Amino acid sequence: MHAFSHGTTTTATAIAVPPSLRLPVIETEFPRQLHTYWPRLQEKTRTWLLEKGLMPAHKVEEYADGLCYTDLMAGYYVDAPDDVLQAIADYSAWFFVWDDRHDRDIVHGRTASWRRLARLLHTALDAPQDHLHHEDPLVAGFADSVLRLYGFLPGTWNARFARHFHAVIDAYDREFHNRTHGIIPSVEEYLRLRRLTFAHWIWTDLLELSAGRELPDRVRKNPAFRQAALLSQEFAAWYNDLCSLPKELAGDEVHNLGISLITHEGLTLEKAIVDLRRRIEECISQFIVAEREALHLADELAADSVRGKQLGAAVRACVGNMRNWFSTVYWFHHESGRYMVDSWEDRSTPPYVNNEAVGEK
């Protein structure tokens, strides 16, 4: 089935979405949005990757635009100020490069390299200004992006972001252990871990930067707001698992909801795909309910006072961008070269990664 994606790449094309991955409700009920800053965003993030040495120059030239990392962020935080979106997009690009390093360290058995990196990232998260010139570009790039993110909202937001990302680093370490030891987590264990390795609460925290306001606990912990935020992230994580399931099965992977369902629930591959789709579709329908309740919260806040009106507008902006996450994630998986495994020369080695560890020749 072909669906016109209204893609953000330079040439709009009809993207073929395989029937097993197609979600008509996303294509019809979740219109795709795009920040007007996107063309400049793409250019500046490409330059940032080069300046920070996060990807070799020839790989940036050949692959950076086609990976669509800036498309993903420009389709999510669509009303962010330009400088905020730039900081988020650079951080997101760093996150993908870090994910690739994590994968390559696992594939090549570089346990010491990974442990050193994880320790450095914990340290850099708490003192980014001290790591801007670190010899490892991944550490220096992280410090730069985090320091910029820390400049937009009060220290209370920074501390929350740091707390959430410390948990993400620890979750990546647990995934490293599972993958190097061939441990396939149970379904419930996997779901808990996936919320951290996908960084659910990091992307939700960044909604506040986009809205230009730190939300009080009574909003962030409101059941409807929290549920809408969680469902938007669960959708993205599980849709990623659905799209990557065949590749990860072929590569003897252990971290995928479908693999946990097959291993621990005794499902066939076909039934695991059906179960994944059911969970994904339930995320969408449940989000629509939670979204309506969260917008009602925004209206109640706006009716309270002048400050309430400002807070209500921020909540409405955050919830609107949660909705954007569905469409931008969906099309990202069908446009980004990150998932075009059939076009790779070696299906086990993404062509855009650097297989060398820092210091190796």
Side-chain angles (χ1 to χ4, degrees), residues 285-296:
S285 60
Q286 290 172 10
F287 171 80
I288 292 171
V289 174
E291 175 191 39
R292 185 164 56 246
E293 294 174 356
L295 291 174
H296 181 65

Side-chain angles (χ1 to χ4, degrees), residues 38-336:
W38 172 75
R40 182 72 172 138
L41 182 73
Q42 185 184 56
E43 175 188 340
K44 291 192 72 172
T45 294
R46 189 193 316 125
T47 299
W48 185 78
L49 287 168
L50 277 171
E51 289 177 347
K52 298 302 176 184
L54 290 167
M55 292 175 67
H58 68 285
K59 290 188 183 291
V60 172
E61 176 69 25
E62 187 170 357
Y63 297 110
D65 289 356
L67 290 170
C68 300
Y69 296 159
T70 55
D71 305 43
L72 182 65
M73 294 297 108
Y76 186 17
Y77 304 98
V78 298
D79 47 10
D82 292 355
D83 58 341
V84 170
L85 182 61
Q86 188 66 63
I88 291 174
D90 290 349
Y91 165 77
S92 172
W94 173 87
F95 201 115
F96 280 112
V97 175
W98 176 51
D99 186 74
D100 292 335
R101 170 83 73 83
H102 177 256
D103 178 70
R104 292 297 95 187
D105 280 351
I106 291 168
V107 168
H108 296 292
R110 299 190 297 234
T111 302
S113 172
W114 164 252
R115 287 178 177 167
R116 177 177 181 272
L117 177 60
R119 185 174 63 252
L120 284 166
L121 293 180
H122 276 302
T123 304
L125 184 58
D126 292 329
Q129 66 280 358
D130 296 338
H131 294 77
L132 293 172
H133 304 290
H134 195 276
E135 62 180 359
D136 186 338
L138 206 61
V139 176
F142 178 65
D144 178 82
S145 63
V146 167
L147 194 61
R148 288 157 63 199
L149 293 174
Y150 282 176
F152 296 110
L153 291 179
T156 46
W157 183 93
N158 297 346
R160 172 161 39 100
F161 179 93
R163 184 171 68 252
H164 286 162
F165 201 79
H166 279 304
V168 171
I169 298 168
D170 288 341
Y172 262 70
D173 194 51
R174 291 199 295 277
E175 180 178 337
F176 189 98
H177 175 81
N178 286 348
R179 287 180 61 187
T180 53
H181 290 80
I183 299 170
I184 300 174
S186 70
V187 172
E188 289 307 313
E189 289 170 338
Y190 176 80
L191 293 176
R192 287 194 298 271
L193 187 58
R194 185 62 161 145
R195 287 170 184 164
L196 294 171
T197 58
F198 197 82
H200 281 24
W201 302 117
I202 290 295
W203 307 117
T204 302
D205 289 338
L206 291 170
L207 289 169
E208 295 170 65
L209 262 65
S210 178
R213 185 185 184 103
E214 182 181 21
L215 298 178
D217 282 355
R218 64 190 174 96
V219 171
R220 290 188 299 103
K221 296 180 180 180
N222 176 274
F225 184 90
R226 190 169 179 84
Q227 181 74 347
L230 177 62
L231 288 166
S232 72
Q233 296 298 317
E234 299 278 56
F235 165 82
W238 298 346
Y239 191 69
N240 176 270
D241 282 0
L242 178 65
C243 291
S244 59
L245 180 56
K247 170 179 70 75
E248 294 185 346
L249 279 171
D252 293 324
E253 260 280 15
V254 300
H255 264 244
N256 184 294
L257 178 53
I259 293 173
S260 290
L261 287 166
I262 291 168
T263 303
H264 295 287
E265 304 295 328
L267 301 188
T268 63
L269 173 59
E270 293 75 17
K271 288 185 177 180
I273 290 173
V274 169
D275 192 276
L276 264 170
R277 283 191 62 97
R278 176 187 61 79
R279 291 170 185 262
I280 290 164
E281 289 164 357
E282 286 179 356
C283 268
I284 299 168
S285 60
Q286 290 172 10
F287 171 80
I288 292 171
V289 174
E291 175 191 39
R292 185 164 56 246
E293 294 174 356
L295 291 174
H296 181 65
L297 168 67
D299 291 340
E300 288 183 333
L301 292 167
D304 183 50
S305 63
V306 173
R307 289 188 64 186
K309 187 174 183 179
Q310 295 170 343
L311 180 57
V315 171
R316 184 169 286 276
C318 288
V319 175
N321 284 334
M322 291 175 197
R323 167 172 276 270
N324 290 334
W325 194 231
F326 287 83
S327 58
T328 196
V329 162
Y330 180 75
W331 291 115
F332 174 69
H333 280 84
H334 303 298
E335 293 175 348
S336 173

